[in-house]
Amino acid sequence: MKLGEAVEFGKVDKNCPYPPQMKGKDGSDELAKQALDSGITPSYLLSKALVPAMDRVGQKFSENKIFVPQMLMSAKAMSAAMIHLKPFFQSGAVKSKGTFMIGTVKGDLHDIGKNLVAMMVEGAGWTIIDLGVDVNEDTFNQTIAENPGSFVGLSALLTTTMNNMEEVVKKIKEVHPNTKVLVGGAPLTDDFRVKIGADYYSPDPQGAVKYLNEFAA
Ligand code: B1M
């Protein structure tokens, strides 16, 4: 699928001069819109084009075939496509089911997966507080204090920042022991979740929604 290629090679939109071999061609911005207009579902685009494209990017990075700048262009292209998916995940729910705050833990700048989780949880009727990336325990604790009863989601994509996640969970639980903390991100496992004392691990946004909905107001 052309959209997957645009993300894999970092072609953001038609005007984007990068990569030179795709000059003048549509980028992920135009291709995502065209695909949705033609009736392809957002879930299909995510699972068959966008996420596999990012996996190919990760694979090439591991093999030293591409470097950080190329990975960054792919991330930009992915984000340009996600802008078109967002309205499809927003629901018309009048009453919020509760508040879910989410952030990528300190030291970690990956935000695509976190943004997808936020988008889908919002679509399921929850109020979202997106704390962004590189978020430390103090920011989480302060935001929980300002939003009592809220649920917390932590994302980590690096094996190094999994350790930071452990610290963040510990500090949250010290200050707000009753707050439910949900964790996710590619290198995590449920065993790790148990080890760090978080309440739930989900490998994907759908699992996060399912868990949160058990507590819906
Ligand atoms: Co980085 N990076 N990166 N990177 N990057 C990975 C993660 C890596 C696996 C690539 C590789 O080597 N194969 C590798 C980590 C290795 C490791 O630790 N084991 C890596 C590395 C090494 C690095 C740097 C250290 C590189 C360097 O500088 N030398 C550096 C670190 C910077 C930092 O964070 N401090 C770095 C930088 C970057 C960019 C900035 C260039 C860019 C990120 C841009 C951005 O996010 N805005 C980037 C990218 C794009 C990637 C890959 C290619 C793609 C990540 C992604 O967006 N995936 C990635 C390789 C890969 O994942 N295949 C890689 C798509 C996204 C939809 O999936 O984020 O897994 P994911 O989210 C999923 C699930 O995990 C889950 O749901 C999502 C949807 O299904 N999920 C949750 C995520 N959070 C959740 C929370 C939940 C529940 C589910 O509940 C709360």
Side-chain angles (χ1 to χ4, degrees):
M1 191 185 258
K2 276 186 182 169
L3 177 58
E5 269 176 48
V7 169
E8 180 176 350
F9 294 99
K11 178 76 177 164
V12 179
D13 58 28
K14 199 169 187 150
N15 293 327
C16 173
Y18 181 86
Q21 74 272 20
M22 291 173 97
K23 195 173 171 214
K25 293 197 178 157
D26 284 340
S28 59
D29 179 28
E30 292 86 5
L31 293 168
K33 187 171 181 316
Q34 288 160 17
L36 292 166
D37 287 349
S38 76
I40 300 178
T41 64
S43 309
Y44 185 88
L45 286 185
L46 266 177
S47 63
K48 301 288 182 208
L50 299 172
V51 171
M54 291 311 272
D55 284 343
R56 290 196 295 277
V57 171
Q59 185 61 35
K60 286 196 276 186
F61 180 76
S62 302
E63 295 164 358
N64 287 325
K65 289 182 177 154
I66 60 165
F67 301 96
V68 172
Q70 285 104 320
M71 203 153 65
L72 203 48
M73 288 310 292
S74 293
K76 275 193 174 187
M78 174 85 175
S79 300
M82 275 164 59
I83 288 173
H84 296 289
L85 302 191
K86 189 164 185 185
F88 290 85
F89 293 114
Q90 283 171 334
S91 80
V94 180
K95 186 176 172 293
S96 171
K97 289 180 179 167
T99 299
F100 178 61
M101 75 185 66
I102 184 163
T104 304
V105 295
K106 57 185 182 182
D108 200 321
L109 303 176
H110 295 85
D111 69 354
I112 294 174
K114 184 262 301 164
N115 292 346
L116 268 175
V117 175
M119 213 185 260
M120 294 200 187
V121 172
E122 184 178 17
W126 289 75
T127 302
I128 300 295
I129 300 176
D130 188 342
L131 297 172
V133 296
D134 192 19
V135 187
N136 65 27
E137 53 275 17
D138 295 341
T139 305
F140 279 110
N141 276 335
Q142 193 184 328
T143 315
I144 299 166
E146 289 163 2
N147 298 275
S150 51
F151 291 73
V152 177
L154 308 179
S155 181
L157 263 284
L158 300 170
T159 39
T160 47
T161 55
M162 283 167 71
N163 298 327
N164 297 348
M165 182 179 258
E166 182 166 11
E167 267 176 46
V168 173
V169 172
K170 195 168 156 244
K171 296 273 167 56
I172 291 175
K173 289 289 182 184
E174 264 170 34
V175 182
H176 302 285
N178 296 327
T179 297
K180 298 279 184 217
V181 180
L182 160 67
V183 295
L188 271 69
T189 60
D190 197 51
D191 286 348
F192 180 74
R193 189 274 305 171
V194 172
K195 178 178 168 264
I196 67 174
D199 297 284
Y200 193 73
Y201 158 71
S202 171
D204 50 41
Q206 295 84 340
V209 168
K210 208 169 154 224
Y211 175 73
L212 287 167
N213 279 346
E214 288 172 18
F215 301 93

